[in-house]
Amino acid sequence: MRIIIESDAAAVAVRAATRVADLIRRSPGCVLGLPTGRTPLGFYGELVRRHEEDGLSFSRVVTFSLDDYIGLPPHHSASFAAYMRRNLFDHVDMDPENTHVLDGGAEDLLVACESYEAAIREAGGIDLQVLGIGSNGHIGFNEPGSSLGSRTRVKTLTRETLEANASSFEDLDELPRLAITMGVATILEARSCLLLALGEEKALTVRDMIEGPITAQAPASALQLHPDVTALLDEGAASRLQRRDYYRHRS
Ligand code: F6R
């Protein structure tokens, strides 16, 4: 795993956006896997800025969102589909046909999961999967205990995840208990992965992901099995890494 430590969140956003912009310029029809959450907000802001100011075009880019809640209508402001529109899709020249989101409102969720996997295959696979990490070590909504061989499926959210995401809901009774998420094995099939983590509250989880054992109890640790992963961290998120000096000296 390549570890890059930047001074702060803004520098992480710029570096992540540069990685994606370089890929889009090299390969305008590339396939991106995209996360939601607080961590990638600066990164999406930077991509929008590059579209507006530098003419970065998303017209042929294909995207797959990592996960979404079950039971929320797509226009609900806390749905991940709405998040993607609000923070990226509505501000760039993306073709809506190319933006795939998981349908947490599908009548048959099993079919929705299988069609998502099929759509990823038909698009030729994901070139770059961007990820955040939950404080409990989840990637996507693959909560601790998720099989490292899991595919896109329904997951029950943990109490920690519900608490972490509660602020997006005005009415806590609306907070979904279930989500639909790409599986760990689906994520590992991406040709490369870029994981972003910010802040000291992620430091122990980041250490487990990079320096801990590979275990379903910390699903992000499965990224150690992937040949092309970059973890892009700010100082806070990197602060508990034991081999921090080595990562700095290497990059
Ligand atoms: C969201 C997702 C989650 C988040 C994680 C971190 O699509 O897949 O794994 O990346 O929960 O969320 P933030 O960035 O809000 O700390």
Side-chain angles (χ1 to χ4, degrees):
M1 197 180 298
R2 181 164 183 231
I3 317 297
I4 297 176
I5 303 169
E6 291 285 0
S7 53
D8 57 18
V12 166
V14 167
R15 189 140 187 173
T18 299
R19 169 86 188 262
V20 169
D22 287 349
L23 175 62
I24 294 174
R25 291 215 165 89
R26 242 185 5 259
S27 174
C30 63
V31 181
L32 302 175
L34 295 176
T36 64
R38 287 169 289 275
T39 308
L41 285 171
F43 157 67
Y44 291 132
E46 186 59 27
L47 286 180
V48 170
R49 190 193 68 72
R50 287 170 197 227
H51 170 70
E52 288 169 351
E53 293 174 18
D54 306 341
L56 179 68
S57 174
F58 291 77
S59 60
R60 290 176 51 207
V61 172
V62 177
T63 65
F64 286 90
S65 299
L66 252 184
D67 44 14
D68 210 332
Y69 294 117
I70 287 178
L72 286 183
H75 55 266
H76 191 290
S77 65
S79 80
F80 290 0
Y83 171 106
M84 289 309 306
R85 287 195 298 272
R86 200 164 55 236
N87 292 297
L88 184 66
F89 300 161
D90 285 354
H91 308 286
V92 296
D93 58 343
M94 195 93 84
D95 177 349
E97 297 256 309
N98 289 341
T99 62
H100 302 266
V101 291
L102 278 156
D103 182 6
E107 221 163 90
D108 190 332
L109 289 166
L110 198 60
V111 169
C113 293
E114 281 169 3
S115 340
Y116 210 64
E117 292 271 341
I120 295 173
R121 277 196 302 276
E122 275 158 32
I126 291 175
D127 293 306
L128 178 64
Q129 176 67 59
V130 184
L131 297 161
I133 182 169
S135 298
N136 65 2
H138 73 208
I139 43 173
F141 272 142
N142 295 286
E143 300 283 37
S146 290
S147 159
L148 303 187
S150 53
R151 313 295 317 185
T152 301
R153 71 204 182 298
V154 172
K155 274 303 286 182
T156 302
L157 298 171
T158 57
R159 204 179 292 276
E160 306 96 79
T161 298
L162 292 172
E163 279 164 12
N165 293 358
S167 62
S168 313
F169 292 83
E170 275 170 31
D171 178 357
L172 288 187
D173 289 338
E174 284 187 322
L175 197 61
R177 298 314 192 244
L178 296 175
I180 182 166
T181 180
M182 280 187 202
V184 178
T186 318
I187 292 169
L188 291 180
E189 275 174 11
R191 283 186 260 294
S192 39
C193 296
L194 175 65
L195 183 135
L196 314 180
L198 302 176
E200 267 176 46
E201 65 277 14
K202 297 282 173 72
L204 286 174
T205 323
V206 164
R207 187 188 67 189
D208 288 348
M209 166 182 77
I210 295 170
E211 297 176 337
I214 297 171
T215 166
Q217 300 315 312
S221 65
L223 294 171
Q224 293 177 32
L225 293 166
H226 192 290
D228 185 357
V229 174
T230 302
L232 185 44
L233 315 170
D234 69 356
E235 289 286 352
S239 59
R240 302 299 285 267
L241 288 171
Q242 283 169 359
R243 294 161 70 78
R244 207 163 65 241
D245 292 344
Y246 170 65
Y247 307 135
R248 274 192 220 286
H249 140 90
R250 212 173 48 159
S251 59

